[in-house]
């Protein structure tokens, strides 16, 4: 905006990159992308063009995107297409290329923003949107095969030199998880903040947009108001967009507080898009105030064609979703199944890539008559990422391997499960009770697997079961017993498994009374949530009241339970597979961090290095009792906390957990393959599974899984860990011992080994504990710097260190300021460990946040710091190998002719 703003942004950018580009701003122009492929013989086609719903100014990864483009005139479309082909030919690109344009909304003026001579984020979207497998084709072209000889793998009838034509509209909407971070700036702009995306397919923009909004989060009804904005807040949302802007536009239209022209003036979103959104509101207004008996065939069909779900219609007509479904089916209004054949049905095609729409008169494919439906994991988000897609794909492959037909329902374009060649039928559709039942009934399926896709499918188990759908694996009633906190806690008491003291919440007063009896801290836990949503630790009455209102909001239909929070306990996880209540495969792993850090953010160690044989036996015994009582068939994950001789169960998920891929790869056997076979009643005796009796797996090595965070992108968020999950990815490494595996995985997350200066600042109760590790680092030759209180304790204990000033005490202090040292990169690593008793909250936050902003390694956990100090000690003695891996070509350069097993000109 001004010079100061430029200086601030440039300083942060230059801290992580050697150069920056400063360009003219084109805010408010249309943003359009083309995907182009070219072969070595100069044949060139454009595969897909996409247009952003949001005008320029928002990163394309954070924009709502439509394919094909909707508002370009024929002249504009062909002008940009021809330019794209000329650019690609001029640059001599062979393979696939993505080109992004800014187009003036009122004239033919345009600029090329960037050209990516590679597959990009939008290539996955373009491939799934058109059914044209870009990566597959690009690989063939790179080998010198001409376009007209590459077969289109979707249609199996045409060649890849066809430009796909689409008889549908695809909408991509990003998924953000800003609410999990305190203090984060929620504005979206030129730096991408979304953690995932969804893709919906419909015959009109109205149908496609409403489906996509519901896919982003099952709690979104569709294009309708969700947050109760004031008029001022709506104007702010429209002017400076956040992750909630689409709901602000919807509210303005539903309340009639702003006209389409006014919304366009503020947002610069094209009039055509806004008129389509207005169309949805007009359909709602036509139904409003009527009863279900007043709705005729034409009105019902119009609502369904405009993307309204049965649930939305039921809310408008003040009746139940089941009533709407019965009425709709009595009118014979059911969705038709259509193929994505890349050819707009102009040529014959054999494809299993399907979507459903209310804009059809007939189905493109016959009913599959049987087969198993596997529900996918939906959009990537914090807590549910590629781990669950790995589980889904493993289940599909196992079903097909044992001769069963597999149907997938999922809507995430970034996943392997939505590759058309992974399954027998792929429905790019919503994971809602309504849509799953439509497909289940139409295809006459044998059953549905809900346990490999994370929390969304798991939450559908009860409604689907009530509707008569055959749920395969653990019975739906038992899934409810595990997910409903109240029923689960009752059951644990009944079978004699130890657990922390608990109580169901009936009122705030009873909660405060319970906390007074057991003593703070206490943990508040809602039911049916993933990644610890609204789960909180409270240390005082005030905090407890705040936690209760948040939990009640998240878990309105299910109980909230409050339990005693065990401080300083070890957290243990049990991942297993059971068949008819008997455990047939299991693995026990421990967390390095103490209980209180969400399992998705914790550093896992397998096999456990610090648990006693007694603790392991208690875990096995409890797990067997729980599996028996819940009659589990399929995957399960049980979490325990251990302190002294107490080993207490805190949670059980009757589904695959996010640690299943890690456990399977470390144990050397696919747990999901075993679970899928158990679910469909297939024999697993030849799989060499680790059972409750197995003690020596894995042998001779240790696996450590470490989390990856995106705090750098989330400006203003506090990079500290708690019971709600914050990580957006993970890595895992093997090593000869815990320290080696830990250090490898830590460095794999982008953590750089400190060279000389380390800044320490911990809460006073941890200072003596910190002394041991600090002295270890001093012995290794590191210079230690510490804030006043920590530094005084270290000096008193005989650990040499230099005291530096707190960030907020710049004026009048003659000490070097900690913040200045971080900003000037004089510090190579920051260790800042707060607790609930910390007083200097602002100072601590500034140190943590600055470390993240300036790309300096940060540790906020005492146990991690101790293991790091031990690992650094072994590393200095040369006892850790594999920390400086070489690239393949560097390895070749260092290889002697005698070592090489091929001629030097051969590729190997």
């Amino acid at each position: 905006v001004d010079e100061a703003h430029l200086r601030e942004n440039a300083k942060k950018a230059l801290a992580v990159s050697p150069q920056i580009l400063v360009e003219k701003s084109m805010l408010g122009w249309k943003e359009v992308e083309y995907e182009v492929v070219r072969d070595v013989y100069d044949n060139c086609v454009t595969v897909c063009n996409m247009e952003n719903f949001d005008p320029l100014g928002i990163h394309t990864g954070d924009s709502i995107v439509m394919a094909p483009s909707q508002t370009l005139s024929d002249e504009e479309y062909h002008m940009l297409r021809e330019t794209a082909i000329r650019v690609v030919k001029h640059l001599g690109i062979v393979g696939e290329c993505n080109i992004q344009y800014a187009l003036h909304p009122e004239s033919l003026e345009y600029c090329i923003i960037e050209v990516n001579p590679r597959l990009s984020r939008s290539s996955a979207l373009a491939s799934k949107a058109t059914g044209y497998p870009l990566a597959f084709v690009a690989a063939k072209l790179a080998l010198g095969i001409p376009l007209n000889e590459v077969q289109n793998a979707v249609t199996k009838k045409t060649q890849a030199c066809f430009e796909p034509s689409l008889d549908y509209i695809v909408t991509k909407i990003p998924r953000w998880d800003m609410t999990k971070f305190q203090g984060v700036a929620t504005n979206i702009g030129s730096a991408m903040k979304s953690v995932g995306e969804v893709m919906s397919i419909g015959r009109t923009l109205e149908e496609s947009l409403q489906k996509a909004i519901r896919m982003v989060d099952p709690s979104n009804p569709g294009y309708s108001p969700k947050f109760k904005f004031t008029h001022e807040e709506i104007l702010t949302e429209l002017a400076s967009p956040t992750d909630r802007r689409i709901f602000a536009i919807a509210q303005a239209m539903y309340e009639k507080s702003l006209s389409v022209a006014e919304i366009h003036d503020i947002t610069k979103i094209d009039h055509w898009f806004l008129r389509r959104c207005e169309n949805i509101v007009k359909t709602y207004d036509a139904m409003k105030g009527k009863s279900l008996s007043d709705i005729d065939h034409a009105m019902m069909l119009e609502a369904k064609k405009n993307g309204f779900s049965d649930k939305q219609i039921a809310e408008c007509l003040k009746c139940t979703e089941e009533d709407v479904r019965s009425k709709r089916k009595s009118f014979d209004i059911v969705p038709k199944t259509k193929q994505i054949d890349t050819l707009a049905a102009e040529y014959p095609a054999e494809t299993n890539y399907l979507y459903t729409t209310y804009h059809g008169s007939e189905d493109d494919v016959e009913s599959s008559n049987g087969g198993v439906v596997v529900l996918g994991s939906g959009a990537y988000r914090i807590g549910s990422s590629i781990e669950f897609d790995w589980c889904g794909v493993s289940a599909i492959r196992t079903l097909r391997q044992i001769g069963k037909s597999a149907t997938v329902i999922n809507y995430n374009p970034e996943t392997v499960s939505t590759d058309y060649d992974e399954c027998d039928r792929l429905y790019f559709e919503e994971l809602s009770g309504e849509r799953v039942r439509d497909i289940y009934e139409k295809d006459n399926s044998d059953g549905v697997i809900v346990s490999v896709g994370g929390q969304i499918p798991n939450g559908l188990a009860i409604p689907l079961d009530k509707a008569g759908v055959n749920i395969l694996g653990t019975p739906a009633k038992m899934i409810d017993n595990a997910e409903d906190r109240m029923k689960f806690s009752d059951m644990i008491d009944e079978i004699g498994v130890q657990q922390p003291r608990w109580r169901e919440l009936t009122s705030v007063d009873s909660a405060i009374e319970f906390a007074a009896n057991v003593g703070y801290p206490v943990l508040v836990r809602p039911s049916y949530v993933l990644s610890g949503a609204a789960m909180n630790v409270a240390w005082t009455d005030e905090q407890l009241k705040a936690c209760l209102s948040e939990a009640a909001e998240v878990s309105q239909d299910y109980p909230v339970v409050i339990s005693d929070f065990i401080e300083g306990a070890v957290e243990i996880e049990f991942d297993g597979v059971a068949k008819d209540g008997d455990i047939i495969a299991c693995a026990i792993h421990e967390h390095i961090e103490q209980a209180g850090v969400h399992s998705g953010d914790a550093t896992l160690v397998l096999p456990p290095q610090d648990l006693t044989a007694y603790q392991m036996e208690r875990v096995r015994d409890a797990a067997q009792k729980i599996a028996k009582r819940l009659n589990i068939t399929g995957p399960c994950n049980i979490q325990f906390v251990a302190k002294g001789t107490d080993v207490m169960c805190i949670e059980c998920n009757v589904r695959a957990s996010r640690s299943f891929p890690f456990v399977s790869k470390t144990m050397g056997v696919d747990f999901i393959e075993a679970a899928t076979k158990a679910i469909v009643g297939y024999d697993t005796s030849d799989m060499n599974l680790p059972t409750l009796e197995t003690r020596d797996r894995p042998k001779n090595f240790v696996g450590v899984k470490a989390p990856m965070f995106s705090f750098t992108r989330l400006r203003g968020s506090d990079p500290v860990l708690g019971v709600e999950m914050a990580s957006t990815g993970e890595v895992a490494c093997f090593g000869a011992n815990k320290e080696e595996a830990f250090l490898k995985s830590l460095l794999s997350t982008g953590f750089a080994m400190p060279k000389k200066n380390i800044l320490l600042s911990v809460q006073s109760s941890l200072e003596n504990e910190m002394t041991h590790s600090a002295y270890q680092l001093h012995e290794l030759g590191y210079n230690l710097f510490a804030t006043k209180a920590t530094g005084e304790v270290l000096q008193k204990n005989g650990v040499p260190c230099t005291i530096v000033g707190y960030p907020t005490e710049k004026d009048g202090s003659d000490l070097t300021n900690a913040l200045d040292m971080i900003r000037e990169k004089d510090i190579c690593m920051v260790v800042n460990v707060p607790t609930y008793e910390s007083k200097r909250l602002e100072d601590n936050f500034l140190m943590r946040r600055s470390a993240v902003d300036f790309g300096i390694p940060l540790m906020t956990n005492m146990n991690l710091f101790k293991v790091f100090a031990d690992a650094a000690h072994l590393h200095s003695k040369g006892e850790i190998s594999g920390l400086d891996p070489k690239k393949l070509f560097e390895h070749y350069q260092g290889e002697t002719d005698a070592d090489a097993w091929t001629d030097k000109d051969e590729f190997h």
Side-chain angles (χ1 to χ4, degrees):
V1 188
D2 52 28
E3 187 182 323
H5 195 204
L6 173 66
R7 283 182 181 280
E8 183 201 348
N9 282 355
K11 195 166 185 184
K12 284 182 179 172
L14 288 167
V16 289
S17 168
Q19 60 176 19
I20 57 173
L21 196 62
V22 182
E23 332 176 281
K24 172 188 167 187
S25 165
M26 293 181 163
L27 282 175
W29 288 34
K30 291 183 184 184
E31 189 168 352
V32 185
E33 288 186 59
Y34 281 72
E35 299 285 337
V36 189
V37 292
R38 176 179 174 270
D39 66 14
V40 286
Y41 305 100
D42 209 26
N43 300 313
C44 196
V45 295
T46 56
V47 173
C48 180
N49 87 312
M50 296 172 272
E51 177 180 7
N52 290 10
F53 177 89
D54 306 288
L56 209 70
I58 297 177
H59 190 287
T60 185
D62 273 352
S63 295
I64 297 175
V65 178
M66 311 280 179
S69 58
Q70 298 295 306
T71 71
L72 301 191
S73 67
D74 201 42
E75 184 183 8
E76 289 169 331
Y77 172 82
H78 284 288
M79 171 181 78
L80 298 181
R81 177 181 174 274
E82 280 158 23
T83 304
I85 289 175
R86 291 214 312 272
V87 167
V88 169
K89 287 185 170 188
H90 175 75
L91 294 173
I93 289 163
V94 172
E96 196 268 352
C97 173
N98 160 276
I99 182 163
Q100 289 175 26
Y101 295 104
L103 174 68
H104 194 281
E106 262 101 49
S107 70
L108 289 177
E109 188 186 345
Y110 70 89
C111 291
I112 295 174
I113 305 172
E114 66 176 357
V115 177
N116 290 313
R118 56 172 171 79
L119 291 145
S120 65
R121 182 183 314 96
S122 33
S123 309
L125 178 70
S127 298
K128 301 279 164 91
T130 57
Y132 189 103
L134 281 166
F136 170 84
V137 172
K140 297 267 188 185
L141 301 184
L143 295 172
I145 301 170
L147 262 172
N148 59 333
E149 287 179 23
V150 178
Q151 192 187 42
N152 179 328
V154 176
T155 62
K156 303 186 176 69
K157 299 271 185 185
T158 54
Q159 272 57 51
C161 51
F162 262 81
E163 291 203 355
S165 53
L166 313 187
D167 52 358
Y168 51 83
I169 294 176
V170 161
T171 303
K172 176 216 99 175
I173 302 188
R175 156 92 196 197
W176 296 273
D177 263 330
M178 312 271 201
T179 50
K180 288 192 175 284
F181 303 94
Q182 291 181 346
V184 67
T186 56
N187 295 57
I188 52 176
S190 54
M192 183 173 158
K193 291 181 178 178
S194 63
V195 288
E197 63 190 35
V198 304
M199 181 184 112
S200 71
I201 307 164
R203 282 282 167 98
T204 59
L205 188 134
E206 292 89 332
E207 183 177 47
S208 186
L209 178 69
Q210 291 235 68
K211 276 169 120 173
I213 291 173
R214 287 192 291 271
M215 289 171 174
V216 170
D217 193 311
S219 69
N220 298 341
Y223 180 75
S224 57
K226 185 181 180 189
F227 308 98
K228 295 182 173 65
F229 296 114
T230 63
H231 189 65
E232 277 62 45
E233 284 170 341
I234 289 179
L235 294 174
T236 310
E237 282 285 337
L238 300 190
S240 55
T242 74
D243 50 333
R244 300 172 168 192
R245 173 153 85 167
I246 191 78
F247 296 109
I249 297 172
Q251 189 177 327
M253 285 187 177
Y254 273 88
E255 290 174 352
K256 318 283 183 280
S257 55
L258 291 170
S259 68
V260 166
E262 287 171 317
I263 295 172
H264 167 77
D265 288 343
I266 304 172
T267 62
K268 299 291 181 274
I269 294 170
D270 195 279
H271 278 285
W272 189 86
F273 287 134
L274 295 173
R275 291 288 175 208
R276 303 268 70 72
C277 293
E278 188 184 39
N279 217 9
I280 296 172
V281 179
K282 283 179 175 169
T283 305
Y284 180 86
D285 290 343
M287 291 190 290
K288 200 172 162 189
K290 293 186 175 174
S291 69
L292 185 58
S293 53
D294 300 336
I295 300 291
D296 59 6
H297 184 281
M299 183 79 246
M300 180 69 83
L301 186 59
E302 187 195 334
K304 297 308 286 184
K305 280 184 169 180
N306 280 337
F308 282 87
S309 66
D310 288 351
K311 193 174 177 183
Q312 260 175 305
I313 297 171
E315 277 167 16
C316 178
L317 303 176
K318 309 275 187 290
C319 59
T320 69
E321 188 181 346
E322 210 49 51
D323 293 339
V324 175
R325 188 179 179 85
S326 307
K327 177 98 176 184
R328 168 168 71 76
K329 291 182 80 174
S330 73
F331 286 142
D332 197 29
I333 297 175
V334 290
K336 299 295 181 208
T337 305
K338 294 290 174 190
Q339 290 174 313
I340 290 191
D341 56 10
T342 75
L343 314 159
E346 291 173 37
Y347 298 86
E350 292 173 25
T351 172
N352 60 350
Y353 187 178
L354 311 168
Y355 69 100
T356 66
T357 177
Y358 284 93
H359 289 267
S361 51
E362 60 181 21
D363 292 321
D364 286 358
V365 290
E366 300 283 312
S367 159
S368 69
N369 265 330
V372 175
V373 178
V374 177
L375 301 187
S377 54
Y380 287 161
R381 56 196 178 284
I382 291 179
S384 173
S385 192
I386 199 157
E387 313 93 334
F388 290 115
D389 197 62
W390 180 90
C391 295
V393 169
S394 186
I396 302 157
R397 289 178 180 171
T398 305
L399 288 169
R400 296 182 82 188
Q401 186 190 325
I402 60 179
K404 292 203 175 288
S405 164
T407 297
V408 170
I409 306 176
N410 200 5
Y411 48 74
N412 185 340
E414 306 170 292
T415 58
V416 178
S417 64
T418 53
D419 287 353
Y420 58 86
D421 52 359
E422 279 294 338
C423 53
D424 298 296
R425 275 199 170 188
L426 167 63
Y427 284 93
F428 225 101
E429 271 301 330
E430 296 175 66
L431 287 164
S432 63
E434 175 187 341
R435 193 46 34 89
V436 173
R437 284 168 69 185
D438 290 336
I439 293 167
Y440 177 83
E441 287 163 12
K442 190 176 289 243
D443 278 354
N444 219 351
S445 306
D446 299 330
V448 177
I449 294 181
V450 296
S451 54
V452 293
Q455 200 57 41
I456 292 178
N458 213 40
L460 289 174
I462 305 288
L464 289 176
D465 183 60
K466 275 187 185 151
V469 171
N470 179 24
I471 302 290
L472 299 174
T474 308
K477 184 169 173 279
M478 293 303 174
I479 296 177
D480 187 47
N481 281 353
E483 285 288 342
D484 187 313
R485 300 276 180 206
M486 177 74 192
K487 291 178 184 170
F488 180 67
S489 293
D490 269 343
M491 182 200 83
I492 290 291
D493 283 344
E494 180 197 317
I495 57 174
V497 170
Q498 193 184 1
Q499 65 174 327
R501 286 171 294 173
W502 64 278
R503 179 185 288 181
E504 185 189 8
L505 283 186
T506 44
S507 69
V508 175
D509 293 343
S510 70
I512 287 174
E513 181 198 333
F514 171 81
N517 288 341
V518 299
Y520 282 103
V522 293
L523 181 63
V524 178
R525 310 157 72 93
S527 301
Y528 279 102
V529 295
L530 183 72
S531 72
M535 196 185 284
N536 278 304
V537 178
W539 303 85
T540 62
D541 287 355
E542 281 66 44
Q543 284 181 349
L544 180 57
K545 284 175 190 166
C547 298
L548 295 181
S549 60
E550 189 191 350
E553 204 173 290
V554 169
S555 180
Q556 290 164 350
D557 304 335
Y558 296 102
V560 174
V561 162
I562 177 171
S563 62
D564 187 9
F565 178 71
I566 315 294
E567 281 183 275
V570 183
E571 194 157 335
I572 308 168
E573 281 194 69
F574 175 97
D575 279 319
V577 176
K579 187 173 184 178
D580 303 324
D582 291 320
I583 289 170
I584 57 170
C586 68
I588 298 172
H589 42 98
E590 65 178 338
H591 295 185
I592 290 180
E593 296 86 348
Q594 63 278 52
V597 171
H598 189 281
S599 59
D601 285 347
T603 311
L604 308 188
V605 183
L606 175 69
Q609 301 296 296
D610 300 317
L611 298 185
T612 64
Y614 171 75
Q615 287 170 324
M616 301 273 279
E617 187 49 45
R618 287 281 303 273
V619 167
R620 291 188 198 101
D621 176 59
Q624 182 58 66
K625 283 179 180 168
I626 292 169
K628 195 76 173 160
R629 177 68 180 74
L630 288 171
N631 192 19
I632 297 174
T633 296
C636 66
N637 160 269
I638 309 173
Q639 293 167 24
F640 298 87
V641 290
K643 190 176 183 181
T645 54
D646 293 328
V647 178
M648 296 178 264
C649 174
I650 51 171
E651 185 168 354
C652 171
N653 295 307
V654 193
R655 56 168 169 78
S657 73
R658 75 181 62 74
S659 47
F660 263 65
F662 167 66
V663 164
S664 298
K665 288 168 185 180
T666 309
M667 285 293 200
V669 60
D670 187 339
F671 273 43
I672 295 293
E673 182 186 339
T676 309
K677 287 179 174 175
I679 287 168
V680 294
Y682 204 80
D683 180 46
T684 54
S685 57
D686 60 343
M687 285 184 67
N688 186 22
L689 296 169
T691 63
L692 289 169
E693 277 66 57
T694 309
R695 296 288 184 273
D696 60 347
R697 280 175 73 172
K699 226 181 186 169
N700 305 332
F701 69 90
V702 176
V704 168
K705 174 168 92 79
M708 283 277 298
F709 298 94
S710 303
F711 290 122
T712 317
R713 299 268 173 147
L714 299 161
R715 291 276 163 85
S717 63
D718 187 356
V720 70
L721 306 183
V723 287
E724 190 161 339
M725 186 171 163
S727 67
T728 49
E730 61 187 32
V731 302
C733 290
F734 298 152
N737 50 41
K738 176 169 108 176
E739 289 75 18
E740 180 174 298
F742 170 78
L743 206 51
K744 279 183 185 173
S745 44
L746 193 64
L747 298 181
S748 306
T749 65
F751 188 100
M753 219 38 201
K755 297 281 188 289
K756 55 174 186 176
N757 296 344
I758 297 178
L759 173 65
L760 307 174
S761 178
V762 302
Q763 203 273 327
S764 55
S765 61
L766 299 170
E767 282 160 351
N768 288 328
E769 204 179 334
M770 158 79 104
T771 302
H772 305 280
S773 302
Y775 189 76
Q776 246 176 323
L777 294 175
H778 159 67
E779 271 202 323
L780 296 177
Y782 287 110
N783 303 327
L784 303 183
F785 292 82
T787 50
K788 189 165 179 287
T790 306
E792 284 169 356
V793 173
L794 288 176
Q795 286 175 348
K796 185 184 91 189
N797 291 341
V799 181
C801 69
T802 309
I803 292 180
V804 293
Y806 289 108
T808 52
E809 292 179 354
K810 281 198 168 182
D811 303 333
S813 169
D814 46 5
L815 294 171
T816 313
N817 192 278
L819 215 51
D820 294 338
M821 293 190 75
I822 294 172
R823 285 185 171 154
E824 299 305 322
K825 293 209 159 184
D826 292 338
I827 296 288
C828 313
M829 174 169 134
V830 175
V831 180
N832 177 273
V833 187
T835 71
Y836 75 99
E837 295 170 303
S838 296
K839 297 285 183 283
R840 292 186 166 272
L841 299 181
E842 191 185 350
D843 285 322
N844 287 334
F845 170 73
L846 285 170
M847 285 186 274
R848 291 194 293 269
R849 188 64 234 176
S850 303
V852 168
D853 283 340
F854 290 91
I856 292 164
L858 170 71
M859 282 201 170
T860 60
N861 184 282
M862 198 66 217
N863 292 15
L864 274 187
F865 179 56
K866 286 182 189 166
V867 180
F868 172 76
D870 291 343
H873 180 68
L874 289 180
H875 181 40
S876 70
K877 287 162 58 181
E879 289 178 24
I880 290 184
S881 59
L883 285 186
D884 39 350
K886 287 181 181 159
K887 290 180 180 155
L888 183 63
F889 295 102
E890 292 170 351
H891 172 72
Y892 288 162
Q893 281 163 358
E895 207 174 39
T896 64
D897 290 345
D899 289 339
W901 48 276
T902 52
D903 292 336
K904 68 179 192 313
D905 300 325
E906 276 184 308
F907 181 77
H908 63 281

